[in-house]
Amino acid sequence: MFGSGSSTGHDNSGVIPVRFVWPYGGGEVSIFGTFTRWTDLIPMSPMEGCPNVYQVVVSLVPGLHQFKFYVDGQWRVDEQLAFVSGPYGLVNTVVLTKDPPQVIDSETPGRSNMELDDVSVCPEVIQGMSAADVEVSRHRISAFLSSHTAYELLPESGKVIALDVTLPVKRAFHILYEQGIPTAPLWDFCKGQFVGVLAALDFILILRELGTHGSNLTEEELETHTISAWKEGKMHLSRQIDGSGRAYSKHLIHAGPYDSLKDVASKILQNSISTVPILHSSAHDGSFPQLLHLASLSGILKCICRYFRHSAGSLPILQQPICSIPLGTWVPKIGEPNRRPFAMLKPNASLGAALSLLVQANVSSIPIVNDNDSLLDVYSRSDITALAKDKAYAQIHLDEISIHQALQLGQDANSSYGFFNGQRCQMCLRTDSLHKVMERLANPGVRRLLIVEAGSKRVEGVISLSDVFKFLLGVA
């Protein structure tokens, strides 16, 4: 370690221990600056529990200091800290006061707000998470969810789209695409009830069936084949979803406006579904109910974040980095036993391979990576609706079109789609706090975060909404 007292020409009285942090990985990382007269390099060491985050503590005198990082033979600056142009090019700067200790990292106030690379870094000290901290946090979150109702999820204005079961499947496919929604409740007028949900997975199964030799379902039949006929005649296809031979329940999973948020979340988790319709009927027999809202874990998480925003200290686990929490699905390390493979595909893989993996691995999305496993894009179940444009599904063969090409079809129709579009790839670092991950997942339309390595964007894992709720509620 390099003491600044001797390097800056000041005596050692009044020096301040300052922790410098480089959160972007590397093989060998050092720092130098005005406090080393821009000559000597001070080696930095990986932080325990965060091997991609390097740190070093340097004793400095109060005042203005400039510095740069030396990473694997290249000079680097942290663009999320203050920086100026100086004799050594761009350099980071810091002004020290007499209030020790201080930490210089990307969480310093005044940092810019960027997309991926606004990921936070490991805290100054990673505190061990005690069982008491976990139980206190879970108890407070459970108490909040139990005392608040689904009524609070209802927006002041908006629309909810439902589909009649007599609609042709093809028409339903186009409606979901045109409205930009992945799912819609199904209404049976004869029964006077909502009877199910049509989801993107249905269309994945339909397209796979269309591409199967000897299929009983043809593209022409989609013109007249109703949603009801599909649900009744093709139920055996859903047995592939969880690999256990269990078909979907024929009963609609729903909730009422006065059910607790905890009950709604539990229904979503227990039934492995993405949304729960909030229904209300004034009739004694519950017939002809009103569809008020489609509740999701994202909306419930937003309520949690809003409620505890100014009292996050009452939930000790929120400040923990996700790398220290049993949360999400991680890429197995070499030689690590008893870990199932992590599903990833290259951009030149066929769309058919992607759809098969979505179904067989029971996942809602697949990271698309390059030869170094660096993240390029994500293919999700909901991306299948992009094939409704210009009846693309009738003009392609699933095994002949690549994932890259399939995503480009969607890009032409909707700016939220498209290969290499950063808006599609919601990411975080393993050193991000649980609180930051929750805030990101609470944004509309975000169902998962890809955990990537800083700098290289190599995929390390994924955290979904259901992962967070299972952890917060202590559900296995």
Side-chain angles (χ1 to χ4, degrees):
M1 183 182 300
F2 191 96
S4 65
S6 60
S7 67
T8 57
H10 298 278
D11 60 35
N12 288 329
S13 61
V15 296
I16 302 171
V18 180
R19 186 187 305 274
F20 290 90
V21 177
W22 175 259
Y24 308 113
E28 294 184 359
V29 181
S30 303
I31 188 174
F32 87 146
T34 51
F35 41 87
T36 70
R37 296 190 180 93
W38 297 106
T39 55
D40 301 301
L41 292 173
I42 304 175
M44 302 180 72
S45 303
M47 293 182 70
E48 184 178 356
C50 298
N52 294 316
V53 179
Y54 288 77
Q55 67 170 349
V56 69
V57 177
V58 183
S59 295
L60 303 179
V61 296
L64 173 67
H65 296 274
Q66 297 181 349
F67 58 96
K68 295 185 77 165
F69 298 93
Y70 192 65
V71 183
D72 295 337
Q74 294 186 350
W75 296 111
R76 302 281 297 275
V77 295
D78 187 340
E79 295 183 357
Q80 299 198 44
L81 299 175
F83 61 90
V84 297
S85 180
Y88 294 87
L90 292 180
V91 295
N92 288 123
T93 64
V94 60
V95 178
L96 301 182
T97 65
K98 295 182 179 181
D99 300 320
Q102 299 192 30
V103 58
I104 308 304
D105 63 24
S106 299
E107 287 293 287
T108 302
R111 54 175 290 192
S112 61
N113 183 18
M114 303 176 69
E115 266 306 314
L116 162 68
D117 292 335
D118 72 344
V119 286
S120 61
V121 301
C122 220
E124 178 184 1
V125 178
I126 299 180
Q127 301 290 344
M129 184 171 56
S130 68
D133 287 341
V134 176
E135 289 308 312
V136 166
S137 300
R138 285 176 171 169
H139 173 76
R140 288 173 177 163
I141 290 175
S142 179
F144 165 76
L145 293 176
S146 298
S147 59
H148 291 73
T149 67
Y151 187 83
E152 298 179 43
L153 299 175
L154 273 59
E156 293 183 2
S157 63
K159 66 178 180 180
V160 183
I161 295 174
L163 303 175
D164 194 288
V165 293
T166 61
L167 273 176
V169 170
K170 175 186 173 183
R171 179 58 184 150
F173 196 3
H174 282 269
I175 290 175
L176 291 195
Y177 165 70
E178 292 164 358
Q179 297 297 323
I181 55 177
T183 61
L186 300 177
W187 172 256
D188 190 323
F189 182 79
C190 295
K191 296 180 179 179
Q193 295 284 353
F194 288 97
V195 294
V197 172
L198 190 70
L201 182 59
D202 287 296
F203 296 112
I204 291 176
L205 296 175
I206 288 173
L207 292 182
R208 293 183 74 215
E209 178 74 358
L210 283 172
T212 301
H213 294 294
S215 169
N216 293 322
L217 183 64
T218 64
E219 194 278 327
E220 290 76 14
E221 285 182 307
L222 290 182
E223 300 283 350
T224 57
H225 205 69
T226 65
I227 297 174
S228 179
W230 160 252
K231 287 292 187 179
E232 293 176 4
K234 302 299 175 180
M235 282 297 293
H236 68 279
L237 292 176
S238 66
R239 297 178 186 275
Q240 304 173 61
I241 300 305
D242 60 11
S244 66
R246 176 177 59 83
Y248 281 134
S249 170
K250 294 183 179 180
H251 301 289
L252 175 67
I253 307 300
H254 67 279
Y258 301 110
D259 289 351
S260 72
L261 292 179
K262 186 174 182 179
D263 287 341
V264 176
S266 296
K267 287 182 177 181
I268 293 176
L269 295 176
Q270 291 168 5
N271 294 281
S272 300
I273 53 181
S274 60
T275 59
V276 167
I278 305 300
L279 306 178
H280 176 68
S281 175
S282 56
H284 294 295
D285 61 358
S287 60
F288 292 93
Q290 289 181 296
L291 175 60
L292 303 179
H293 184 60
L294 290 180
S296 66
L297 293 179
S298 176
I300 300 175
L301 187 61
K302 187 173 183 178
C303 288
I304 295 175
C305 292
R306 182 169 60 240
Y307 183 82
F308 290 102
R309 179 161 296 159
H310 301 296
S311 58
S314 65
L315 302 176
I317 59 175
L318 294 193
Q319 305 311 316
Q320 294 298 316
I322 57 174
C323 61
S324 68
I325 300 174
L327 182 68
T329 303
W330 296 76
V331 175
K333 297 179 180 178
I334 297 176
E336 188 173 13
N338 302 322
R339 287 283 297 275
R340 71 174 186 175
F342 188 90
M344 293 188 287
L345 289 174
K346 301 295 190 295
N348 59 354
S350 71
L351 178 58
L355 299 185
S356 295
L357 192 55
L358 286 172
V359 172
Q360 294 168 4
N362 191 23
V363 294
S364 61
S365 66
I366 303 170
I368 310 303
V369 299
N370 63 15
D371 292 337
N372 297 319
D373 289 343
S374 296
L375 185 64
L376 300 176
D377 209 321
V378 178
Y379 193 86
S380 303
R381 289 181 184 177
S382 57
D383 287 327
I384 198 67
T385 59
L387 298 183
K389 183 193 177 187
D390 300 327
K391 295 178 62 176
Y393 60 85
Q395 305 167 29
I396 64 172
H397 295 283
L398 298 183
D399 292 330
E400 296 178 4
I401 182 174
S402 70
I403 300 173
H404 187 170
Q405 293 169 325
L407 288 170
Q408 284 184 319
L409 289 175
Q411 183 180 29
D412 294 337
N414 190 318
S415 59
S416 65
Y417 290 96
F419 211 63
F420 303 110
N421 189 327
Q423 297 299 319
R424 291 173 42 80
C425 301
Q426 299 293 330
M427 296 169 273
C428 66
L429 288 181
R430 60 166 51 232
T431 50
D432 278 342
S433 68
L434 176 58
H435 180 259
K436 183 164 188 176
V437 166
M438 289 170 57
E439 288 279 0
R440 288 190 173 191
L441 285 171
N443 291 324
V446 179
R447 293 189 58 188
R448 69 201 66 81
L449 296 180
L450 274 301
I451 309 167
V452 299
E453 182 181 64
S456 70
K457 297 184 183 177
R458 182 175 60 84
V459 175
E460 296 187 317
V462 61
I463 294 179
S464 67
L465 280 163
S466 58
D467 291 332
V468 170
F469 272 85
K470 287 177 181 178
F471 174 74
L472 294 179
L473 297 178
V475 178

